[in-house]
Amino acid sequence: MTEAASENRSGLHGLTQSTVSHALSALEHELGVTLLERNHKGVVALTNPGQKILLHTRALLAQAEAIEQEAKAARGETSGKLRLGTTLSLCPDVLASVLTRFRASYPHMEVVLFEGMLQEVYKWIESDIIDVGFVLLPASGIESTLITTDELCVLVPPGHRLHAKTAVSAGDLRDEGLIMAKTECSFQMMERAGLERCRSRPPLRYQASDSATILAMVREGLGITLIPRMMLPKKLEGVVALPLDPPQPLQIGLAVRSQEMASRGATLFVQTALAWAQEQILLPPRAC
């Protein structure tokens, strides 16, 4: 297993399919079990033992990287690989700002970005696929650090029955058709706004992948949307942003599987994010 782990830790770039197949065959022979199966179409699937062994392998590779980073730190070096998970529907500006600062402070740390839905980020953390990820708090089963707090806003077109209100209640939203992103985070936002996910007539009218598409649909009067304040365009055109009543804060954090066992790169990234967050406290808040 040592050679295979070392091979995987350095990546598979430049390896031919035959080389990888030979290495897997050798590993299967050493373990005495079949890890991969091919059907008549040549599609590869993990066997049950392969799926279980994969979980342990990921944990071993993550710890091998953490050990190497600690050894380098003892020699005065800060380098290695950081696997960072995020969902861009949650905090793209926070990600960009923290990542910029992190790369400036630790230029020899290689950052590999994993983008997915919120539930995928949770799963990646639990499965050691990533070292650290942006999540919506509270998050159970993983260890998290609060980085910043956002707030839900409602976007409506001018002339909409709600546009003149100073704030929007859950009752105001129940008869509205919502246009939301195709993410699990959208359903959490709806629940935070007081809209039950399992209703006989759900308020979700459309789902779109692109935020610009959602804004365009709102402008055309096809529905309204819920959006974190930090995702509001710097210049609102053709839409009105309203706060919720009562306000619905969104706590955004960084999570790892275990803070005690986290890699040095993950720890430094969280520290960098906290330093960035402290600076933001001194800035005036952006109103809906």
Side-chain angles (χ1 to χ4, degrees):
M1 291 270 300
T2 303
E3 292 182 2
S6 177
E7 190 85 355
N8 284 325
R9 183 158 48 87
S10 60
L12 298 178
H13 301 291
L15 297 181
T16 64
Q17 182 177 347
S18 61
T19 301
V20 175
S21 297
H22 178 74
L24 286 171
S25 296
L27 180 59
E28 287 179 324
H29 182 267
E30 180 181 344
L31 295 174
V33 295
T34 300
L35 301 176
L36 293 175
E37 287 182 345
R38 290 181 180 271
N39 59 23
H40 64 282
K41 296 181 180 180
V43 178
V44 176
L46 282 170
T47 63
N48 286 334
Q51 292 175 354
K52 294 178 181 179
I53 289 173
L54 179 61
L55 297 176
H56 297 292
T57 302
R58 285 174 177 161
L60 285 172
L61 295 178
Q63 288 307 306
E65 175 67 25
I67 290 170
E68 187 172 339
Q69 290 183 21
E70 289 297 339
K72 289 179 179 178
R75 302 194 301 267
E77 303 174 20
T78 302
S79 63
K81 180 181 292 186
L82 174 67
R83 301 165 301 168
L84 173 63
T86 184
T87 170
L88 293 183
S89 63
L90 185 60
C91 54
D93 289 344
V94 176
L95 166 68
S97 298
V98 176
L99 189 55
T100 298
R101 174 178 289 212
F102 182 77
R103 291 184 64 85
S105 301
Y106 309 103
H108 300 297
M109 287 294 303
E110 177 189 359
V111 179
V112 181
L113 192 61
F114 289 69
E115 296 174 290
M117 293 187 293
L118 193 60
Q119 293 304 316
E120 289 181 302
V121 176
Y122 293 140
K123 184 177 180 180
W124 292 339
I125 295 170
E126 294 169 348
S127 303
D128 289 308
I129 294 176
I130 61 175
D131 304 301
V132 62
F134 282 97
V135 297
L136 193 60
L137 303 181
S140 60
I142 51 181
E143 298 187 23
S144 56
T145 302
L146 176 64
I147 299 301
T148 188
T149 301
D150 202 355
E151 185 178 349
L152 274 182
C153 290
V154 181
L155 286 189
V156 303
H160 188 276
R161 70 179 185 89
L162 299 177
H163 88 279
K165 294 179 71 70
T166 57
V168 179
S169 68
D172 294 327
L173 296 174
R174 290 198 178 100
D175 294 326
E176 296 291 332
L178 294 181
I179 307 171
M180 301 296 292
K182 293 181 178 179
T183 65
E184 183 70 20
C185 190
S186 294
F187 292 107
Q188 293 190 16
M189 290 180 187
M190 291 165 62
E191 291 172 357
R192 295 282 180 94
L195 299 171
E196 295 178 0
R197 184 169 178 178
C198 299
R199 295 177 61 201
S200 57
R201 297 181 61 187
L204 188 59
R205 180 176 293 169
Y206 299 108
Q207 284 187 282
S209 300
D210 183 60
S211 59
T213 300
I214 294 174
L215 288 176
M217 294 174 75
V218 172
R219 289 191 192 99
E220 292 297 320
L222 293 172
I224 66 176
T225 191
L226 295 165
I227 186 172
R229 175 162 39 89
M230 285 190 290
M231 286 193 65
L232 289 174
K234 289 183 172 58
K235 185 177 181 181
L236 288 177
E237 296 181 350
V239 293
V240 178
L242 303 168
L244 284 167
D245 180 24
Q248 294 299 320
L250 298 173
Q251 292 185 319
I252 299 170
L254 280 168
V256 296
R257 186 175 182 183
S258 166
Q259 293 181 357
E260 185 178 6
M261 301 297 289
S263 69
R264 181 169 177 80
T267 300
L268 291 174
F269 190 84
V270 173
Q271 292 174 354
T272 301
L274 285 172
W276 170 86
Q278 287 297 318
E279 289 185 2
Q280 304 313 300
I281 295 176
L282 303 177
L283 299 177
R286 183 180 174 188
C288 287

